[in-house]
Amino acid sequence: MEPLALYLHWPFCLSKCPYCDFNSHVRPEADGARFVAALGRELAFEAARLGPRQLVSIFFGGGTPSLMDPGAVASLIESACRLWTPAADLEITLEANPTSAEAARLARFRAAGVNRLSLGVQALDDAALAAIGRRHSAAEARAAIESGRELFPRFSFDLITARPGQTPASWRQELRGALSLAADHLSIYELTIEPGTAFARRYRPGEAPLPAAETQEALYEITGEEAARRGLAAYEVSNYARPGGECRHNLQYWRYGEYAGIGPGAHGRIGKAGTLRAIARHRQPDRWLAQVERLGHGIAEQEPLSFRERGREALLMGLRLAEGVDAERFAARTGGSLAEALEPGVLEAAVAAGYLEISDQTLRATNVGRRRLDALLATLLR
Ligand SMILES: C[S@@+](CC[C@H](N)C(=O)[O-])C[C@H]1O[C@@H](n2cnc3c(N)ncnc32)[C@H](O)[C@@H]1O
Ligand code: SF4
């Protein structure tokens, strides 16, 4: 049976962080039960059209899914496991915020069947947390990390680096503190000013007080160095894990496997090679809800992908991974070979320049190349 990962999107948050362009909305009066029922209907819809699959991951993302009713999480997990065949090592992740109210509910999510927690810590410094508009303190974050580690067999937290005013010395110190609290996985993202966010309105293009490019490179190097010292390898551009601690859900995306996404704005890649389709749901929560209640699904678009598009996506995702892109898997998922997808002259030049390497049927980006994937792929694809 083909492996499948399932993503469920919960689009609500207690407040909107000024840097965030995720599909998240502040709506205290949102009718949670109606949204949960609609997620259940979309789940049944996807299962009916997809047919039998081996379920390797369920991921509750957001927004803030830790605001969901734990009983609803349990029943969605149960439905997914009834509709598909759960793998023996099925990973069930929930994203959570470390405010104390949500942290108090963690045990109930564990009881609901969640076996991996991903906590949005962002920073371990009160002034930095306030500057990026977070509602929790560093002490609350530490407490949530402790209970997350205790309660869940697998546990990760997110940090945001390259924040205004951050220096290599201050980052090294903060990161060492974070690594001493980490279990087997950490995600570390560089702060980006996304269009449409409060930060983008506050700062004119290029005028945000972010660290200079050389400082950002230095911060990234420190991250890799310090994580490695604690046994966490950079297995992806922004993700660090001990062997076996890698996020199976995201690996399914990066290896260009099949995934279904349900909920407002969720994306899916369904089918294989010649039948692979990109599926997108309505982003606006009420529009999505109304369509699910009317038609049983919130799909806005379903597009077949051409070989060139499949190749571009497989490379854009796969080259983010330290393991690189496996030629056989690439062919199985895209329906063509790496040689058919790539411009030979550009490939040769990228290898000579130290951005890419080829070995054992694998195309890999070097550390330097991995941070320039968009530019590389602009010319590398035929
Ligand atoms: C969907 S959000 C996380 C879940 C949860 N709502 C939270 O905020 O803790 C996923 C992660 O993306 C990262 N993120 C979001 N916007 C970002 C930005 N503009 N720059 C860098 N990282 C960002 C944060 O680390 C965040 O934890
Ligand atoms: S970062 Fe998380 S809590 Fe903040 S608005 Fe985005 S999804 Fe919501």
Side-chain angles (χ1 to χ4, degrees), residues 13 17 19-22 62-64 95-98 119-122 134 158-160 189-194:
C13 293
C17 304
Y19 53 85
C20 177
D21 79 335
F22 281 78
T64 307
E95 285 182 343
N97 283 29
L119 199 63
V121 167
Q122 322 308 1
R134 298 292 287 182
D158 294 351
L159 292 174
I160 295 183
Y189 303 106
E190 284 175 2
L191 179 63
T192 48
I193 306 295
E194 302 288 351

Side-chain angles (χ1 to χ4, degrees), residues 7 52 90 101 113 134 143 155 157 163 178-179 183 262 268 294 322 336 365 370:
Y7 176 82
L90 171 64
R134 298 292 287 182
F155 171 74
F157 61 90
R163 302 184 311 252
L179 283 161
I262 64 172
R294 198 157 39 86
R370 213 168 295 142

Side-chain angles (χ1 to χ4, degrees), residues 29-372:
E29 75 289 3
D31 185 349
R34 254 176 98 187
F35 276 88
V36 168
L39 284 171
R41 280 193 71 182
E42 281 218 298
L43 189 54
F45 172 87
E46 286 293 323
R49 68 173 185 161
L50 266 164
R53 290 288 191 282
Q54 188 194 41
L55 193 60
V56 293
S57 160
I58 303 177
F59 193 106
F60 291 88
T64 307
S66 49
L67 297 174
M68 288 176 80
D69 164 29
V73 168
S75 82
L76 288 164
I77 292 172
E78 203 192 13
S79 303
C81 291
R82 196 169 16 82
L83 293 163
W84 288 299
T85 306
D89 57 355
L90 171 64
E91 176 184 271
I92 307 178
T93 306
L94 179 102
E95 285 182 343
N97 283 29
T99 56
S100 45
E102 285 151 89
R105 289 145 44 90
L106 293 182
R108 296 177 62 201
F109 288 115
R110 176 69 189 111
V114 173
N115 58 24
R116 182 175 184 273
L117 189 77
S118 171
L119 199 63
V121 167
Q122 322 308 1
L124 283 167
D125 172 278
D126 284 331
L129 286 167
I132 58 169
R134 298 292 287 182
R135 290 170 71 107
H136 57 87
S137 64
E140 279 178 307
R142 284 197 185 87
I145 291 172
E146 256 174 49
S147 33
R149 281 189 60 160
E150 243 165 64
L151 285 166
F152 294 87
R154 308 181 76 221
F155 171 74
S156 177
F157 61 90
D158 294 351
L159 292 174
I160 295 183
T161 174
R163 302 184 311 252
Q166 212 164 31
T167 63
S170 69
W171 173 234
R172 197 184 287 276
Q173 198 188 2
E174 183 180 352
L175 180 60
R176 283 187 178 172
L179 283 161
S180 71
L181 301 171
D184 58 356
H185 194 284
L186 267 187
S187 300
I188 304 180
Y189 303 106
E190 284 175 2
L191 179 63
T192 48
I193 306 295
E194 302 288 351
T197 58
F199 272 178
R201 288 187 289 280
R202 194 175 311 169
Y203 306 117
R204 278 187 293 184
E207 288 186 1
L210 298 176
E214 314 83 76
T215 312
Q216 291 197 15
E217 287 302 323
L219 296 173
Y220 189 70
E221 259 180 46
I222 289 173
T223 306
E225 225 174 82
E226 293 292 331
R229 273 166 41 120
R230 303 286 299 210
L232 279 80
Y235 74 101
E236 193 267 349
V237 181
S238 311
N239 285 277
Y240 302 81
R242 288 187 223 285
E246 298 86 359
C247 173
R248 292 177 200 143
H249 187 83
N250 288 339
L251 279 178
Q252 180 81 353
Y253 295 166
W254 294 319
R255 290 176 178 160
Y256 209 43
E258 198 178 32
Y259 59 94
I262 64 172
H267 289 262
R269 291 290 178 279
I270 297 297
K272 59 175 165 182
T275 66
L276 188 62
R277 278 168 303 153
I279 299 172
R281 255 82 182 162
H282 287 294
R283 244 180 102 81
Q284 212 287 322
D286 293 317
R287 180 151 187 216
W288 170 84
L289 182 69
Q291 185 176 309
V292 178
E293 289 182 344
R294 198 157 39 86
L295 302 177
H297 67 79
I299 294 172
E301 278 173 44
Q302 302 201 60
E303 295 296 332
L305 294 168
S306 65
F307 171 61
R308 191 171 194 279
E309 289 166 329
R310 297 194 293 271
R312 180 173 194 285
E313 289 194 342
L315 289 168
L316 197 61
M317 300 303 255
L319 292 177
R320 298 178 64 92
L321 287 169
E323 68 179 26
V325 175
D326 174 73
E328 251 177 58
R329 190 182 296 132
F330 180 90
R333 292 296 298 155
T334 68
S337 67
L338 276 171
E340 284 169 79
L342 304 177
E343 238 3 296
V346 178
L347 177 60
E348 218 173 282
V351 171
Y355 294 141
L356 293 176
E357 332 176 304
I358 308 176
S359 60
D360 313 329
Q361 292 298 298
T362 303
L363 179 67
R364 237 181 251 109
T366 60
N367 288 345
V368 186
R370 213 168 295 142
R371 296 186 36 91
R372 291 170 176 70

